[in-house]
Amino acid sequence: MTKHWKLKEIVLMSILGVVFGIIYLAFFLVGQGIRNVLAPFGLAPFGYEIIFGIWFIVSIVAAYIIRKPGVAFTAELIAGVTEVLLGTAAGPGLIIAAAIQGLGAEFAFAITKWKDYRLRILILSGVFAAVFSFTWNLFSSGNIALAPALLIAMLAVRIISGALLAGVLGKWLSDKLAKTGVLRGYALGKEIQKKREKDAA
């Protein structure tokens, strides 16, 4: 498999980045809502952690579909830029956060030299994105000042969210999309087509 991106892959990656950037922006409101519900119970810090995996999902979806080096990082970065251009309250610093999340997601695929896209690697990608982003937030959001026990609990929730909402959900969405036939020209679509032909033989 060549490591060079084809034009159609760049286009798809860009489309995914923009679409999920819009979704990411909407989820800021969802996170705030959850935070408000949890605040009376003293659990406000977990408001965003519960759904944090959503903000990693495009890196996993794009990488799983296209399967080439740099796709996870770039798709996440495009989503971050989209959020900033649409006026996110997080400001331009969000681009740095997106880059770090993308690096975390990309790291899992790099470990396998971009040859393994099974569910466990997608989950690992979500986990690394969670760990990388959490480390960044310790300083960018001032979380380092929180109690160690609270930080450990927040990290655990973010890791679970990354594994499920980015890894598992990302694979499920991609597989559903591929089964419609619209991804025939991409790595995931070709894999599914080969499986269908094998089952039919």
Side-chain angles (χ1 to χ4, degrees):
M1 181 188 298
T2 176
K3 294 184 178 181
H4 297 296
W5 297 348
K6 297 177 181 178
L7 178 58
K8 65 180 181 181
E9 292 170 339
I10 295 173
V11 170
L12 177 62
M13 180 173 56
S14 300
I15 292 173
L16 289 172
V18 171
V19 169
F20 278 97
I22 296 171
I23 293 173
Y24 287 1
L25 194 59
F27 265 85
F28 273 109
L29 299 176
V30 176
Q32 188 59 51
I34 297 174
R35 185 181 176 88
N36 292 339
V37 170
L38 295 178
F41 306 98
L43 299 173
F46 294 93
Y48 284 100
E49 300 301 334
I50 293 171
I51 61 169
F52 219 100
I54 286 293
W55 285 290
F56 314 143
I57 194 170
V58 71
S59 57
I60 291 172
V61 168
Y64 180 50
I65 292 173
I66 299 173
R67 307 188 179 191
K68 288 184 178 177
V71 170
F73 170 79
T74 306
E76 194 70 38
L77 187 61
I78 292 172
V81 171
T82 299
E83 288 183 83
V84 171
L85 292 177
L86 291 175
T88 176
L94 184 66
I95 296 176
I96 298 175
I100 290 171
Q101 291 170 186
L103 283 173
E106 190 75 48
F107 185 64
F109 300 113
I111 290 175
T112 70
K113 296 182 179 179
W114 296 276
K115 294 179 179 179
D116 191 342
Y117 290 87
R118 288 174 291 179
L119 177 59
R120 64 186 184 187
I121 301 302
L122 303 185
I123 289 175
L124 188 62
S125 181
V127 169
F128 277 129
V131 173
F132 276 47
S133 64
F134 192 86
T135 302
W136 167 250
N137 289 153
L138 285 176
F139 305 99
S140 65
S141 300
N143 288 349
I144 192 70
L146 298 175
L150 178 58
L151 286 175
I152 292 172
M154 289 169 64
L155 175 59
V157 173
R158 188 178 298 195
I159 286 175
I160 293 171
S161 182
L164 297 179
L165 295 184
V168 176
L169 180 60
K171 182 181 188 302
W172 183 82
L173 287 174
S174 301
D175 286 341
K176 287 294 183 181
L177 185 61
K179 287 177 181 178
T180 66
V182 299
L183 300 177
R184 283 191 298 269
Y186 302 90
L188 175 59
K190 292 175 182 177
E191 178 183 80
I192 289 179
Q193 182 60 32
K194 287 181 180 178
K195 184 178 179 180
R196 284 175 175 170
E197 292 174 354
K198 183 178 179 180
D199 292 341

